[in-house]
Amino acid sequence: MTDLGDAPAGNATRSHARGVPRQRHTSGSATPGSATSGRAPSRSTTSRTGSRARPKVGAGRRGRPVGRGRRILRTAAISLSVLVLATAGVGWWFYEHLNGNLHSVPLTDGSGDSAGKEKADSFGRTPINLLVMGSDGRTTASDCKLGGGCSQTGVQTGSNADVEMVMHISADRSNATVMSIPRDTVTTVPACKDTETGVSTNGYTGMVNSALQYGPACQVATVHRLTGIPIDHFVKLDFSGVVKMSDAVGGVQACVDKDVYDTYSHLKLAQGTHTLEGVAALEFVRSRHGFGDGGDLGRTYSQHLFLSSMIRKFKSAGTLTDPTAVYRLADAATKALTVDTGLGSVRKLIGLAADVDKVPAKRITFTTMQTAPDPRDSERLVPAATAQSLFATIANDQSLTNSSGDKTAAASATAKATASASAVPAAQIAVTVENGTTVTGRASAVATALLDKGFSSGTTTGNAAGTTATTTLTYGSGRKAEAQTAAKALGLPSSHLKQSDATGTGLTLVIGTDWTSGTAYPAPAAPADTKAAIANAHAETADQSKTCVKVSTYKTVRLNGVAMTPTRAYRAATGIKDSAP
C-alpha cells in the first residue's frame, strides 16, 4: 500500500485508507459585516413648550450652580482614577523589575534528546520534573566571602553542583517527590557544550556534580542519563542566593539533636530548635561534617529537613498574604536564581509555585538516591541496585506517600485496562482515523494496521482540527461494542473510549501526541515496587515538624589540629559565637 501521507494536525484533508482520496467539500462563505457608526446627536436648547430653539446670539444664560455632592463625586472619581493608574504603574514596574532580575539559559545544548520527554496520563496531563542545583561556585566577591577558598585564587570561573535534587510534581498535582543525588556519586558525563561560555567536553566518567562546569544543560543531561527521569526545568542557586532567600522568608526553623560545631562550614548550634537566617542558613545546608557519618549522605538529610521547614513556612497563614513579605521574597528569589528559558519569566515561576502549593505537605516525600561505595574508590559512591526502583517510581509518576508498599492510586491509574472483545466482527467496522500529532503519516499507518486486521474497507484517514495530547476513540449511540473491538485490536485502554453526543455517528479515532509511532498503542511501564523504591532511601514527608537532624558521633572535625566529634568541638570552642541563638 502506498503511504497517503496524511499531514500533521490542522490540515483539513480526508481520504480512503486505500484507493482514490476522497475530497472534503465545504459550502458557504462568510462575508465580514460592515460596522455602522454615527455621531451622537448634538445637544440643543429646549423651550418650555417642548420645541427646540436655538439660543439668541449674545443672549446671556446663567448656568445652574454645580451642587456640592456633584463636586465631591467628581473629585472622588478623579482621585480613584489616579490611584488605579498609580497602582497599575507600580505593578507593571514591579513585574518588569522582577523579570529583569532573572537570568535564564537553555535547558539543553541542542545535542539530541538530552533531557527526555514526559508522557501524558489518560487525561492529557503531564508531570513536572525540576532539577534543583546548589552551586559551589566562587564566581563573585560575595560568594568568595561566604564560601571561602578564594584567598589565593581570587574570584573563580566554573562551579560544581554540590546540591542536586530532582523535584517531581505528579500530573494530577496530588503528590510530589524530592530525590537528592549525593554529589560524590560517580557516573558518566556525556559530551556537552556550555551555550554561554563555549566550554565543552567529549564526555568522561567522574563525579556527578562536576557536569555543571560545562553549563546547567550538561548537568541536566547527566542527571537524565543517570536516572532515566525526564527533566523539564532547572533552577540554580549560589551561596549568596541561599542567604538572600532565607532572609526574605524571615528565617527557617531547624532542630539538631546534640550540640554541633562543624569547623569546616562554621555551623555552631546548641542542641534544640533554632531560626536560621542569612549566613547561618548557608552554614546549615552546607554542613557535611556535622551530621550523619560526616559524608554527603548526612548533608542530604539535613537539607531535606531545612526545605521541609521552608515549605511549611510558605504554606503557613500570613507568609504569602503580607505584601511586604511577598515583595522581599519575589525580589530575592528572582535575583538569586538562574533558570532555564522555559521558566524565564515571573509569570511562569508563579505558575510553578502554584503547582507546588497544590500539594499538601504530608504528600511531599523527601528521599535520597540509594548508593553503595565505589569499589574503585572508597571516597566515592555509585548508585545501588535498588535506586532503579526509585527512579522508576518518579519516571512512572507514582506517589511514594504510601510507605506500606501497596499500589498507589497513581500506579493504579496508569495500569493498562484494554477493552474486552465484543461479538461484532471486524469486517463490519469502519473507523475514521485522524492525525492529531505533528508526525506526517500517522493516520495512514494506523488505518493500514486496522485493514490488515480485517476491518472494513470503508476505513478512512484524515487530519484532526488541531494537535491533541491524548488519543481518543469516539463512538456513536449503539456502537460501543464496535469501539471495544477496535480498541482491543489497537491495544487502546478503555479509558480512551468516549461516546459521542451526536446521533448517527460512527467510530472516529484521533491519534494524540501520546502515540507518535507504531501501530499498537504504547503500553505504560509496569508500576514500580514502591516498597523497594523507598528502601534505604531515608524517606520522610514534609509535614514532620518535630524531627531533628542527627549530629555525627564520629570524629569528623578538627579543632586546633585535634580530631574530635562535632559535639566535643562545640564544647571546646567557647570563644566562638553560635551561628544562631
Side-chain angles (χ1 to χ4, degrees):
M1 172 178 174
T2 304
D3 186 352
L4 297 175
D6 50 280
N11 297 317
T13 61
R14 184 174 302 280
S15 62
H16 286 290
R18 284 196 173 103
V20 181
R22 178 187 297 168
Q23 185 174 1
R24 177 179 289 172
H25 298 282
T26 58
S27 63
S29 60
T31 304
S34 58
T36 59
S37 61
R39 184 174 299 172
S42 59
R43 302 180 68 182
S44 62
T45 306
T46 306
S47 69
R48 292 180 183 270
T49 61
S51 59
R52 296 183 182 274
R54 296 175 61 87
K56 294 181 178 180
V57 178
R61 185 181 182 190
R62 190 167 65 184
R64 182 177 298 173
V66 177
R68 184 169 176 233
R70 190 175 297 177
R71 285 198 304 269
I72 292 173
L73 288 174
R74 182 179 298 171
T75 303
I78 294 172
S79 300
L80 181 61
S81 298
V82 171
L83 179 61
V84 169
L85 289 173
T87 305
V90 171
W92 178 252
W93 171 86
F94 180 47
Y95 182 82
E96 288 300 298
H97 170 73
L98 296 180
N99 271 330
N101 286 345
L102 279 172
H103 176 60
S104 60
V105 296
L107 179 69
T108 70
D109 63 3
S111 56
D113 186 18
S114 58
K117 292 181 180 179
E118 299 287 3
K119 293 181 180 179
D121 66 7
S122 58
F123 298 98
R125 303 169 301 188
T126 54
I128 300 172
N129 288 316
L130 175 75
L131 178 61
V132 180
M133 295 176 270
S135 166
D136 73 348
R138 279 76 166 173
T139 56
T140 65
S142 59
D143 282 337
C144 274
K145 183 178 179 180
L146 292 167
C150 298
S151 56
Q152 294 181 342
T153 61
V155 176
Q156 305 166 24
T157 58
S159 57
N160 296 311
D162 275 3
V163 176
E164 288 188 84
M165 299 179 183
V166 175
M167 183 172 192
H168 170 82
I169 308 167
S170 67
D172 63 3
R173 307 300 186 256
S174 69
N175 64 86
T177 300
V178 181
M179 180 188 70
S180 286
I181 301 174
R183 73 156 200 180
D184 295 336
T185 303
V186 175
T187 189
T188 300
V189 177
C192 298
K193 183 176 182 179
D194 191 328
T195 55
E196 288 196 305
T197 66
V199 177
S200 63
T201 175
N202 292 326
Y204 59 92
T205 299
M207 286 172 59
V208 66
N209 68 333
S210 66
L212 188 57
Q213 296 178 18
Y214 304 98
C218 190
Q219 194 66 66
V220 166
T222 301
V223 170
H224 173 59
R225 179 167 182 155
L226 170 66
T227 64
I229 300 169
I231 304 297
D232 307 296
H233 300 290
F234 73 78
V235 297
K236 182 169 74 76
L237 195 67
D238 58 17
F239 291 153
S240 58
V242 175
V243 172
K244 292 174 184 175
M245 290 286 288
S246 62
D247 283 345
V249 299
V252 178
Q253 280 199 337
C255 175
V256 291
D257 72 340
K258 296 183 181 68
D259 297 338
V260 58
Y261 179 34
D262 181 347
T263 56
Y264 296 93
S265 76
H266 307 297
L267 176 71
K268 188 170 187 277
L269 295 173
Q271 178 183 356
T273 301
H274 307 270
T275 299
L276 306 178
E277 298 184 69
V279 175
L282 178 64
E283 292 171 349
F284 186 86
V285 298
R286 289 191 65 208
S287 178
R288 61 179 289 167
H289 297 87
F291 307 124
D293 61 359
D296 203 44
L297 291 176
R299 176 164 62 177
T300 64
Y301 306 156
S302 63
Q303 289 168 352
H304 292 169
L305 293 178
F306 183 89
L307 289 175
S308 295
S309 180
M310 181 175 280
I311 287 171
R312 291 193 299 272
K313 185 155 190 177
F314 282 155
K315 290 178 175 289
S316 66
T319 302
L320 297 180
T321 57
D322 178 359
T324 304
V326 170
Y327 172 79
R328 286 199 309 267
L329 180 60
D331 195 42
T334 51
K335 286 179 179 176
L337 299 177
T338 296
V339 300
D340 67 281
T341 50
L343 283 179
S345 73
V346 173
R347 180 180 60 81
K348 292 174 181 177
L349 283 174
I350 289 173
L352 176 63
D355 282 329
V356 176
D357 191 52
K358 292 174 185 175
V359 184
K362 64 182 180 180
R363 291 189 62 99
I364 301 176
T365 305
F366 285 89
T367 70
T368 299
M369 181 190 82
Q370 300 95 327
T371 57
D374 185 346
R376 295 163 296 184
D377 186 347
S378 60
E379 298 295 319
R380 299 288 177 258
L381 303 169
V382 293
T386 50
Q388 297 303 321
S389 291
L390 180 55
F391 299 158
T393 60
I394 296 174
N396 295 344
D397 196 21
Q398 292 176 242
S399 173
L400 293 179
T401 306
N402 186 350
S403 59
S404 67
D406 296 333
K407 278 188 178 182
T408 64
S412 300
T414 58
K416 189 169 182 176
T418 303
S420 58
S422 72
V424 181
Q428 298 178 17
I429 303 172
V431 183
T432 299
V433 185
E434 295 184 351
N435 186 2
T437 76
T438 58
V439 181
T440 301
R442 287 297 297 137
S444 296
V446 174
T448 298
L450 287 171
L451 291 168
D452 290 343
K453 291 177 183 291
F455 280 76
S456 168
S457 59
T459 294
T460 60
T461 63
N463 297 291
T467 304
T468 182
T470 307
T471 298
T472 55
L473 178 57
T474 305
Y475 57 91
S477 178
R479 295 180 179 268
K480 184 176 181 179
E482 296 179 18
Q484 290 176 329
T485 297
K488 181 175 177 61
L490 297 170
L492 189 68
S494 58
S495 59
H496 292 249
L497 273 60
K498 295 181 180 180
Q499 183 171 349
S500 173
D501 294 332
T503 58
T505 55
L507 271 59
T508 300
L509 175 69
V510 178
I511 305 171
T513 55
D514 57 346
W515 188 10
T516 55
S517 63
T519 55
Y521 187 78
D529 183 346
T530 53
K531 187 174 182 179
I534 60 175
N536 301 315
H538 201 271
E540 293 185 347
T541 51
D543 62 330
Q544 299 178 19
S545 59
K546 297 182 179 180
T547 305
C548 293
V549 182
K550 296 188 179 300
V551 175
S552 177
T553 57
Y554 300 96
K555 295 180 179 180
T556 56
V557 300
R558 301 183 71 86
L559 184 63
N560 299 323
V562 180
M564 58 184 73
T565 65
T567 300
R568 183 184 167 193
Y570 178 91
R571 295 167 184 165
T574 54
I576 298 177
K577 185 179 179 181
D578 282 18
S579 300

